[in-house]
Amino acid sequence: MKPGPDQHPADEQAELKSQILRSLRWPLRLTRAGILAERLSLNFWPVSTLLLALGTVVGFGVPNLLGTSALIALFVASILALVVLLLRGFSRFRWPSPTDALERLDRATQERPLSAIWDHLTIGRNDPETLGLWQAHIRQMAKRARQMPPVRPDLRVSSRDRFGLRYLALTGFVTALVFGFQSGSDGFGRIPWPQGQIAQAAAPGFEGWIRPPRYTRLPVIYLNSAKNDGTVANLSVPQGSKVVFRLYGGHGRVRLEETVSRQKKNSAPRDKDAGKRADPQTGGRSFLVQKSGEIGLSGPAIKARWNIRMIPDLPPLIALDGPVERGVNGQTRLPFAAADDYGVVGSTVTITLDLAAVDRRYGLAAKPEIRPAITLDLPLPLRGDTRKFKDILIEDLSQSPWAGLPVILTLKATDALGQTRVSEEEQITLPGRHFFDPLAAALVEQRRDLLWTRRNAPRVAQVLRAISNRPADIFPDARTSMMVHVAIRRLELNTAPTLTDPILTDVVRTDVSDLLWHTATLIEDGDLNDAKAQLRRAQDRLSEALKSGASTDEIARLTEKLSRAMRDYMRQMAQQDRNGRTSSKAPNGPTRQITSDQLQQMLKRIEELARQGRKAEAQRLLEQLRQMMNNLRVARGGQGQGQTGQAMRGLRDTLRQQRNLSDDAFGQMQRQFNTPGQQRGGGATSPADLAQRQDALRQMLRQQRNGLPTDDSKAGKAARQALREAERQMEQARDALKKGNLPGAIDKQSAALNALRKGLRKLDRAVAGSRNKSTGPSGRRADSLRDPLGRRTGSAGQVGTNRTLLSSREQQRRARELMDEIRKRTGDKRRPHYELDYLNRLLDRF
């Protein structure tokens, strides 16, 4: 529309507004309706949710199950809640105006055409050019406004209903509509559905079940399989089975009689036997079978009887399955056998002191303190049948005050019904650890007297002072002597006659008894005690995990702990052997040597069996590993290495220093030529300093070569020749460094490293040949040159094994990444030739 010659721009804009409003009549109405729907949903969704919830309650017939007072309370609460929600909604509700619809429609587009049309020109009204530009803009916005569609309403109220209550109410209401009227409830105001009419017109019927207890694993018996003509059906059911009846149609005219629940005959609509109220809609009844008897139903068109023979649930049986034995490290091994008609669910053993059989002499002459009985849970099969089984309880009771004393064992088993059976009393001597060292045995005896009664504390202190009168003659080291001295001082300070209450406290007695036990084990086992305890603890935890059905991740973690404990244990054994100390106790049975590969394979096999669910096989393999560790022998190395071994250790140190020097030279070359790559060590070392270090290494190698013992064998001569070659290459590398020729020096250093490695290999071969000649056919010397894992050791302490050095997955991953990076740099031919030579040498396998 173009303005006429006499038409004012303001009049033109007003007429344009009217035309746009007429063209947007329906989009504005629809947008306004959408705003109304949004505000209704945002402010009144609690009302609709409450109505749907009330419809769900009524649809499922809940009001019919409530009493009058409860029904009135529910009705009043619902009305009050509905009024409150309506008032809250109306207080926040605002009827949408045409302006609201116009503004919503305008905000729906990015250009905001309606705002532009309703706007006014404030500057340049008298400028024809400005006025013409403004009118063109208005016409363009008018064209855009006529094409505006209605805005869709946003009915989402998730910001208000964070828990989705409206969806729960809607789901419940739909479920009530579909299923509520079919379940026997009266639904909404007792609506006469056709199904209800058919049910009322149908003849009375029933359904009955007998559900045996779950622990019997027996199927449910469906009572409707009996003929409905008065024929008696004979049934055998376990004790405690639950009988359930449901009556349909005319249930007020059907009579139920039963004599199996130890209750008087009755037909009242209350289940006195099961303690539950009968279903008023279906006439349901339930009770438990407690004795043999009959069950009968009688009524219109119903006549059924069942003769019930109750199978009694017998109490369990339990007894010892052999003598109680002492394990290798003093554990108590208690074999037992248990049985039950449906399975044992729990079993325990109770240990009490047999005071009448105790030899009441010395520290045991005093009246003992009253101690609670020791109760231990007996293991049950994790998988398999618990109706009849045998097992062995392994428990470490060596630190108990009753260890070595006569005790009475009582075993008890419990079944799923709660019945218990107690075995006959067994008189045994509670196993404990044997201490072969007399001093250790004496300390353990005094510990027992202290735990027998705290009034023995002064006597124990006197005996300990007598024992430690001349500590240098009886104690193996100052550490154990000091520990006993600390125990004496604590006893004397806490039982002095000057004290108001000279009776020893529980805390002090526990500390002193633990100190005496620790001292005795140190004297008995020496330095191996800590590692042995960790190993035993790791074995016990893994064994318990296998018994208790732990997860595969937990078993893998415990297996790794056991592997570390075995390594620590054998490392301490090797260290003790090198120091000339051996265990005072010889292992029981023949000794054997095992390799680390065998140990790792056994641990992996245990983990695989546990992952496959074969816990019993894993347990047996763990017990075999435990026995192997108990019989492990420490093989002492030969004594003839002497000067040769010391020289080889020096050569290995020289090899390490030469390798570090070569790395420093390479780093200096990278800085000098500004080449990319990873610099290793060296810092700001100059070529002159590197030359001095190279010359010092050359002189050290010469001294080591001259200090080697005379060996005229072929291998010995080859070793000396290789060391001379290494010395010559070092000398040339030194000269190159003095001249600043870093690439040439690195080449010579690499040749020196190769010659050193060759010399070490030849020297080790010469030592091995000399040892074979000296030992003869018996092979004892060869056997002695093995570490605790059975691996051969060279004269320089080198260890050979076929075990992968990188056992950790993380280490393997890092090694692969490093090798890939080296190969990547080797393939870059733009790098200097000396750097490529160095990288290629890193890839060589020596």
Side-chain angles (χ1 to χ4, degrees):
M1 170 182 175
K2 296 182 180 181
D6 298 331
Q7 189 174 10
H8 194 272
D11 298 336
E12 176 191 1
Q13 190 171 1
E15 183 179 355
L16 185 62
K17 293 179 182 178
S18 301
Q19 293 177 2
I20 291 175
L21 290 177
R22 285 193 298 271
S23 63
L24 294 178
R25 182 174 63 252
W26 281 107
L28 286 175
R29 290 178 180 178
L30 294 177
T31 302
R32 188 178 181 185
I35 298 175
L36 177 62
E38 287 183 6
R39 294 180 180 179
L40 287 175
S41 61
L42 286 175
N43 294 283
F44 293 99
W45 71 265
V47 177
S48 61
T49 302
L50 178 61
L51 293 176
L52 290 174
L54 293 176
T56 303
V57 172
V58 175
F60 281 113
V62 175
N64 299 328
L65 303 178
L66 301 177
T68 304
S69 57
L71 189 60
I72 294 175
L74 177 61
F75 178 76
V76 173
S78 302
I79 295 298
L80 290 177
L82 187 61
V83 170
V84 170
L85 294 178
L86 286 173
L87 292 176
R88 179 175 177 272
F90 280 116
S91 64
R92 298 182 179 183
F93 176 76
R94 185 170 60 89
W95 191 267
S97 63
T99 305
D100 296 336
L102 194 64
E103 184 179 359
R104 172 70 66 86
L105 193 65
D106 186 42
R107 288 202 311 267
T109 59
Q110 186 176 3
E111 296 86 358
R112 304 289 294 271
L114 297 178
S115 299
I117 295 173
W118 262 256
D119 203 355
H120 300 281
L121 183 65
T122 58
I123 300 176
R125 295 180 178 179
N126 299 325
D127 185 5
E129 295 182 357
T130 303
L131 188 60
L133 181 62
W134 171 255
Q135 291 176 353
H137 173 66
I138 293 299
R139 286 192 294 271
Q140 184 178 5
M141 291 296 102
K143 181 179 179 181
R144 179 69 181 89
R146 292 187 181 96
Q147 300 174 357
M148 296 173 64
V151 180
R152 294 183 178 181
D154 185 7
L155 302 178
R156 294 175 296 179
V157 294
S158 56
S159 60
R160 305 285 182 88
D161 185 13
R162 297 181 179 179
F163 300 101
L165 299 178
R166 61 193 188 283
Y167 296 124
L168 294 177
L170 180 61
T171 303
F173 184 75
V174 172
T175 306
L177 288 177
V178 177
F179 301 104
F181 307 114
Q182 316 295 334
S183 61
S185 63
D186 291 329
F188 297 99
R190 301 180 182 273
I191 299 177
W193 291 87
Q195 292 87 344
Q197 297 174 359
I198 296 174
Q200 294 294 331
F206 74 94
E207 282 186 303
W209 303 268
I210 297 181
R211 300 172 182 171
R214 183 174 301 177
Y215 62 83
T216 62
R217 301 181 181 88
L218 296 176
V220 176
I221 301 175
Y222 188 52
L223 295 179
N224 290 62
S225 59
K227 294 182 179 181
N228 191 14
D229 55 1
T231 305
V232 179
N234 298 316
L235 300 175
S236 298
V237 299
Q239 179 181 353
S241 298
K242 186 176 183 180
V243 183
V244 180
F245 280 101
R246 293 291 181 264
L247 307 178
Y248 307 108
H251 45 265
R253 297 170 291 169
V254 179
R255 181 179 183 83
L256 170 64
E257 296 180 347
E258 54 88 14
T259 60
V260 297
S261 61
R262 298 187 184 277
Q263 298 292 333
K264 296 181 179 180
K265 296 182 179 180
N266 63 85
S267 58
R270 180 177 296 274
D271 187 1
K272 296 182 179 180
D273 308 315
K276 296 182 180 179
R277 185 173 180 177
D279 188 346
Q281 301 299 323
T282 62
R285 294 288 309 279
S286 63
F287 49 89
L288 300 179
V289 175
Q290 300 293 346
K291 62 179 181 177
S292 299
E294 291 185 353
I295 302 175
L297 286 177
S298 58
I302 293 180
K303 188 175 183 181
R305 303 190 69 83
W306 298 271
N307 186 15
I308 305 300
R309 185 180 70 86
M310 187 194 73
I311 304 175
D313 191 339
L314 302 177
L317 300 175
I318 190 170
L320 287 178
D321 192 42
V324 179
E325 300 176 347
R326 183 183 68 86
V328 177
N329 297 311
Q331 302 97 334
T332 300
R333 296 176 56 89
L334 189 149
F336 68 96
D340 185 68
D341 45 6
Y342 296 112
V344 178
V345 298
S347 56
T348 59
V349 57
T350 303
I351 304 174
T352 57
L353 179 65
D354 189 2
L355 187 59
V358 176
D359 186 5
R360 306 290 295 278
R361 295 187 299 170
Y362 309 117
L364 303 180
K367 182 179 179 181
E369 297 180 3
I370 299 176
R371 288 185 174 272
I374 301 174
T375 301
L376 303 174
D377 292 330
L378 297 176
L380 296 178
L382 296 177
R383 294 183 179 180
D385 198 353
T386 60
R387 290 179 296 183
K388 186 177 182 181
F389 66 95
K390 297 180 180 180
D391 208 332
I392 299 177
L393 170 68
I394 301 177
E395 190 73 23
D396 188 3
L397 300 175
S398 57
Q399 298 190 41
S400 172
W402 298 339
L405 298 178
V407 294
I408 298 176
L409 297 181
T410 304
L411 283 71
K412 184 176 70 172
T414 306
D415 63 4
L417 192 60
Q419 302 178 107
T420 61
R421 174 68 64 87
V422 180
S423 67
E424 297 181 358
E425 295 182 351
E426 297 285 346
Q427 296 180 346
I428 66 166
T429 298
L430 186 63
R433 177 172 178 176
H434 283 178
F435 288 87
F436 297 92
D437 188 284
L439 177 58
L443 294 178
V444 172
E445 181 180 352
Q446 296 308 307
R447 173 184 178 272
R448 181 203 63 187
D449 295 345
L450 183 63
L451 295 176
W452 179 263
T453 175
R454 67 192 70 214
R455 297 187 181 276
N456 281 337
R459 178 183 179 277
V460 171
Q462 292 179 358
V463 174
L464 292 178
R465 279 206 171 274
I467 293 175
S468 59
N469 183 30
R470 301 178 64 179
D473 297 338
I474 190 170
F475 286 95
D477 51 36
R479 178 186 178 187
T480 54
S481 175
M482 180 60 67
M483 294 171 69
V484 173
H485 182 71
V486 171
I488 295 173
R489 292 294 298 168
R490 294 206 64 181
L491 288 176
E492 291 179 345
L493 288 175
N494 288 274
T495 58
T498 57
L499 296 176
T500 304
D501 187 7
I503 301 300
L504 204 64
T505 62
D506 292 336
V507 176
V508 175
R509 182 169 67 169
T510 302
D511 292 344
V512 172
S513 63
D514 293 342
L515 185 59
L516 292 177
W517 179 266
H518 187 48
T519 306
T521 53
L522 278 179
I523 295 173
E524 181 71 18
D525 294 337
D527 293 338
L528 285 177
N529 182 62
D530 293 339
K532 184 185 295 183
Q534 293 177 6
L535 177 61
R536 187 184 306 117
R537 192 158 47 246
Q539 292 171 339
D540 293 341
R541 288 180 179 177
L542 180 56
S543 177
E544 184 64 26
L546 292 173
K547 290 182 180 179
S548 59
S551 63
T552 55
D553 294 338
E554 183 70 15
I555 291 176
R557 184 178 64 85
L558 294 176
T559 304
E560 179 63 25
K561 285 188 176 182
L562 178 57
S563 178
R564 291 198 300 267
M566 286 193 301
R567 289 195 297 267
D568 295 341
Y569 175 63
M570 286 182 288
R571 183 169 58 250
Q572 288 196 14
M573 290 182 67
Q575 180 66 29
Q576 186 184 63
D577 186 67
R578 285 194 296 269
N579 295 336
R581 297 181 55 192
T582 57
S583 178
S584 61
K585 178 178 66 174
N588 297 329
T591 59
R592 60 176 297 186
Q593 289 183 344
I594 53 178
T595 66
S596 64
D597 296 329
Q598 292 175 337
L599 293 177
Q600 294 300 326
Q601 290 174 4
M602 293 182 70
L603 288 175
K604 289 181 180 179
R605 182 58 179 166
I606 291 174
E607 187 175 352
E608 290 176 0
L609 291 174
R611 190 181 299 110
Q612 297 171 3
R614 300 156 64 182
K615 302 296 180 63
E617 298 181 31
Q619 187 72 29
R620 288 194 295 269
L621 188 58
L622 177 61
E623 188 64 27
Q624 181 181 355
L625 177 61
R626 188 198 302 266
Q627 192 65 29
M628 291 173 64
M629 295 301 298
N630 290 336
N631 295 334
L632 183 64
R633 176 170 63 89
V634 180
R636 303 189 62 180
Q639 305 296 328
Q641 298 176 4
Q643 184 179 2
T644 304
Q646 183 179 1
M648 291 197 64
R649 286 190 292 272
L651 290 174
R652 291 177 60 197
D653 184 66
T654 302
L655 177 64
R656 180 183 57 80
Q657 295 186 38
Q658 180 61 57
R659 186 168 56 247
N660 294 337
L661 180 59
S662 180
D663 293 342
D664 293 343
F666 181 74
Q668 180 65 23
M669 182 182 63
Q670 286 182 317
R671 286 187 294 272
Q672 180 176 348
F673 292 96
N674 193 23
T675 58
Q678 183 183 6
Q679 299 180 11
R680 298 178 57 187
T685 306
S686 63
D689 296 335
L690 295 175
Q692 292 180 2
R693 290 171 57 188
Q694 185 65 76
D695 191 58
L697 279 178
R698 183 186 63 83
Q699 295 178 7
M700 182 186 300
L701 178 59
R702 175 179 295 180
Q703 295 176 1
Q704 292 168 348
R705 180 174 56 83
N706 294 333
L708 288 176
T710 304
D711 189 355
D712 296 332
S713 65
K714 183 177 180 180
K717 293 179 180 180
R720 284 183 172 81
Q721 182 62 30
L723 295 178
R724 290 192 189 95
E725 177 64 19
E727 185 180 347
R728 188 177 66 84
Q729 296 293 340
M730 286 182 179
E731 184 177 3
Q732 295 179 5
R734 178 203 62 185
D735 297 339
L737 289 171
K738 287 182 178 180
K739 297 177 182 179
N741 184 11
L742 291 174
I746 291 176
D747 291 339
K748 298 301 180 182
Q749 288 173 344
S750 177
L753 287 172
N754 292 334
L756 273 173
R757 293 189 182 97
K758 181 178 179 182
L760 281 170
R761 289 195 296 267
K762 295 294 184 181
L763 187 58
D764 188 38
R765 189 176 304 171
V767 173
S770 176
R771 181 172 62 247
N772 292 336
K773 292 180 181 179
S774 62
T775 54
S778 64
R780 296 180 180 177
R781 178 74 177 277
D783 288 340
S784 65
L785 292 177
R786 292 181 180 270
D787 69 350
L789 294 180
R791 302 176 297 188
R792 294 187 57 188
T793 58
S795 58
Q798 297 177 344
V799 177
T801 179
N802 58 358
R803 174 175 172 262
T804 303
L805 296 180
L806 293 177
S807 57
S808 172
R809 294 183 179 178
E810 179 65 20
Q811 291 175 343
Q812 294 176 2
R813 183 187 63 80
R814 293 177 59 188
R816 285 195 297 269
E817 292 178 354
L818 181 59
M819 294 299 293
D820 292 341
E821 180 64 24
I822 294 175
R823 293 188 181 97
K824 178 181 177 182
R825 296 187 180 185
T826 305
D828 187 3
K829 301 304 180 183
R830 295 174 298 178
R831 296 179 178 272
H833 68 90
Y834 44 81
E835 182 179 352
L836 293 176
D837 291 342
Y838 180 77
L839 294 174
N840 287 325
R841 287 196 300 271
L842 293 179
L843 294 176
D844 291 340
R845 295 180 178 270
F846 298 103

